[in-house]
Amino acid sequence: MTDHPFTDADFRKSDRSGDFGCVEAAITHHTPDTIGLRDSVHPRQTVLCFSPKEWTAFTAGLNKL
């Protein structure tokens, strides 16, 4: 398995998610301009990467739900 920038990242889950599976987000010192997003149920699978502009658009869309 190869290392990626989010290997040792401190992913955080929303307080609103409760005990159910959710997504987790992280920013690391390796990639300060990239936000990583992963599935909390399957944390070793794919990490989606967002630029700050993409992250802002993504979270703005969530706030409209």
Side-chain angles (χ1 to χ4, degrees), residues 33-35 48-62:
D33 294 330
T34 304
I35 295 89
L48 300 176
C49 296
F50 293 88
S51 70
K53 185 175 180 179
E54 292 169 326
W55 182 252
T56 299
F58 176 73
T59 56
L62 292 176

Side-chain angles (χ1 to χ4, degrees), residues 30-47:
H30 299 292
T31 57
D33 294 330
T34 304
I35 295 89
L37 195 68
R38 72 179 183 187
D39 181 349
S40 65
V41 176
H42 304 285
R44 294 180 185 245
Q45 291 184 356
T46 302
V47 174

